[in-house]
Amino acid sequence: MKIDINVDAGESFGRYVLGNDAEILKYVTSANVAAGFHAGDPIVLDQIIANAKKYGVAVGAHTGLPDRQGFGRREMVITPEELRSDTLYQLGAVDAFLKGNFCKRCSRISRRRPYCLRSNNRKCEKKWCCSRCAYRIA
């Protein structure tokens, strides 16, 4: 039996440091990396992926709603088209940094973990609530 030890990482942005990503990546097998909308930024994303490469950690994209102040947890009214576009944008960012770091072990996004509308919004429409609608395109 193989056990995957997973962590959410890359949530720092600008001058705000959240957690010790460089240290924790030494002890995990996969990381869901904040893709920039709810947390993270390009510098942090680049550093996380470089460290994931260094320690052989598989990288997943942790996409979110454009709600940095509320850490992606506040209720937002968005259309299915916005959800799809925002998700594609974030997946593209993570993919670009993987390629830019020549990360063989993590050369593709190993998982997608949304800050899902279902878990954050008590009242949501079924037509775009499930994570499949956003990830069908990936």
Side-chain angles (χ1 to χ4, degrees), residues 2-15:
K2 189 173 181 179
I3 297 174
D4 177 31
I5 302 172
N6 179 263
V7 67
D8 287 351
E11 295 174 337
S12 300
F13 57 93
R15 55 191 276 187

Side-chain angles (χ1 to χ4, degrees), residues 11 16 20 36-37 41 43 47 55 57 72-74 83 89 92 99-100 104 109 115 117-118 126:
E11 295 174 337
Y16 302 102
N20 188 344
F37 274 29
D41 67 24
I43 299 292
Q47 291 168 347
Y55 298 115
V57 174
R73 292 189 170 105
R74 294 186 295 184
L83 176 62
Y89 186 92
K99 289 176 180 166
K104 288 180 184 166
I109 297 171
Y115 251 34
L117 297 171
R118 172 172 283 158
K126 283 187 179 179

Side-chain angles (χ1 to χ4, degrees), residues 75-108:
E75 186 171 328
M76 297 185 77
V77 177
I78 64 172
T79 66
E81 294 77 22
E82 288 172 311
L83 176 62
R84 180 182 180 280
S85 295
D86 288 353
T87 301
L88 274 175
Y89 186 92
Q90 292 172 89
L91 292 172
V94 173
D95 186 57
F97 280 101
L98 287 170
K99 289 176 180 166
N101 278 284
F102 306 103
C103 191
K104 288 180 184 166
R105 161 105 167 95
C106 48
S107 62
R108 61 187 268 284

Side-chain angles (χ1 to χ4, degrees), residues 117-132:
L117 297 171
R118 172 172 283 158
S119 61
N120 295 328
N121 292 350
R122 281 178 251 124
K123 299 175 187 174
C124 62
E125 299 176 42
K126 283 187 179 179
K127 67 180 178 183
W128 49 268
C129 189
C130 72
S131 59
R132 277 194 205 141

